[in-house]
Amino acid sequence: NAGVTQTPKFRILKIGQSMTLQCAQDMNHNYMYWYRQDPGMGLKLIYYSVGAGITDKGEVPNGYNVSRSTTEDFPLRLELAAPSQTSVYFCASRDSSTDTQYFGPGTRLTVL
Amino acid sequence: AQSVTQLGSHVSVSEGALVLLRCNYSSSVPPYLFWYVQYPNQGLQLLLKYTSAATLVKGINGFEAEFKKSETSFHLTKPSAHMSDAAEYFCAVSDGVRSQGNLIFGKGTKLSVKP
């Protein structure tokens, strides 16, 4: 089991560029989440999904989009990168039988 | 609405000393409570969780936490700190399936362990 994997590990973007952060899990979990982590602020929920084809906004969704075409994959799209999106992004999936979220290693994004 | 407050953004202890990291929560329904640990440049790892069973919860690496409803607290403790415990610790609250399992995190407490 690879668990939750994220690519890339690091990325630098220019203002206005777009990119997709990839997330995949091999645990057959229906629930998946995207968080951003800023220093001293904890983690904030961006978007979540309860299954393939179903997504919903979290606390800080502006500037982001998601899709969920398969159980395994949950990509996060930034359309017009802004300096405020400089952050570390974590993807997670949840085992609903134990109510435990499993986190990926993160993607460190810098927007200049 | 749910919220989590972690008292102290930085805590420093000596090796072998008691570790106490404080977490208070606010929830209008019986909460599920979690402690996660994050080592430098890594993702979060579950330490322990409370989901309405025993109020004293034991986790990995010798950590434990006690759910106290009257104090709305879920403090994390370890009797004897080890150098390898140096990390950032996050308390989180969920109302279970009512919120699709969404977690609300505290701002984190960075634990330093002095030799």
Side-chain angles (χ1 to χ4, degrees):
Chain A
N1 264 1
V4 180
T5 57
Q6 292 183 239
T7 55
K9 283 187 169 39
F10 305 94
R11 185 72 186 268
I12 297 175
L13 281 182
K14 294 182 179 178
I15 295 171
Q17 287 185 319
S18 61
M19 77 163 294
T20 299
L21 281 67
Q22 301 292 344
C23 173
Q25 53 96 4
D26 62 359
M27 296 174 282
N28 202 33
H29 293 162
N30 284 323
Y31 292 84
M32 294 187 74
Y33 308 84
W34 273 105
Y35 296 91
R36 60 176 288 171
Q37 182 181 28
D38 300 299
M41 298 301 294
L43 280 77
K44 304 284 188 186
L45 182 65
I46 304 172
Y47 270 95
Y48 66 98
S49 170
V50 302
I54 307 171
T55 63
D56 207 348
K57 296 177 181 178
E59 185 180 355
V60 290
N62 291 345
Y64 307 94
N65 277 301
V66 294
S67 59
R68 185 95 182 271
S69 56
T70 66
T71 299
E72 294 77 20
D73 300 299
F74 190 40
L76 177 73
R77 178 112 181 127
L78 284 70
E79 289 294 349
L80 290 170
S84 60
Q85 294 177 304
T86 294
S87 189
V88 181
Y89 291 84
F90 289 101
C91 178
S93 69
R94 183 169 75 100
D95 181 342
S96 54
S97 67
T98 62
D99 209 25
T100 299
Q101 290 194 22
Y102 296 87
F103 285 78
T107 294
R108 186 174 296 272
L109 176 67
T110 302
V111 182
L112 299 174
Chain B
Q2 296 177 302
S3 65
V4 172
T5 301
Q6 290 184 241
L7 297 174
S9 57
H10 287 89
V11 170
S12 182
V13 300
S14 297
E15 193 172 19
L18 171 73
V19 175
L20 171 60
L21 304 182
R22 299 178 188 273
C23 173
N24 287 88
Y25 70 91
S26 170
S27 178
S28 57
V29 297
Y32 292 0
L33 292 158
F34 305 80
W35 276 100
Y36 280 86
V37 61
Q38 184 180 33
Y39 298 103
N41 299 313
Q42 294 187 26
L44 277 72
Q45 179 184 1
L46 181 68
L47 267 182
L48 49 80
K49 62 184 178 186
Y50 166 78
T51 55
S52 75
T55 57
L56 182 62
V57 181
K58 294 189 185 299
I60 62 171
N61 301 337
F63 284 93
E64 63 181 38
E66 187 172 8
F67 172 67
K68 291 187 176 180
K69 184 179 178 181
S70 61
E71 299 177 8
T72 61
S73 68
F74 190 57
H75 302 330
L76 182 71
T77 61
K78 182 174 180 177
S80 176
H82 192 273
M83 296 295 290
S84 61
D85 295 326
E88 191 159 18
Y89 293 79
F90 293 93
C91 183
V93 65
S94 160
D95 60 10
V97 295
R98 286 177 286 264
S99 67
Q100 312 293 356
N102 295 351
L103 293 174
I104 305 296
F105 283 89
K107 294 184 177 181
T109 298
K110 196 162 288 189
L111 176 67
S112 301
V113 182
K114 299 174 290 188

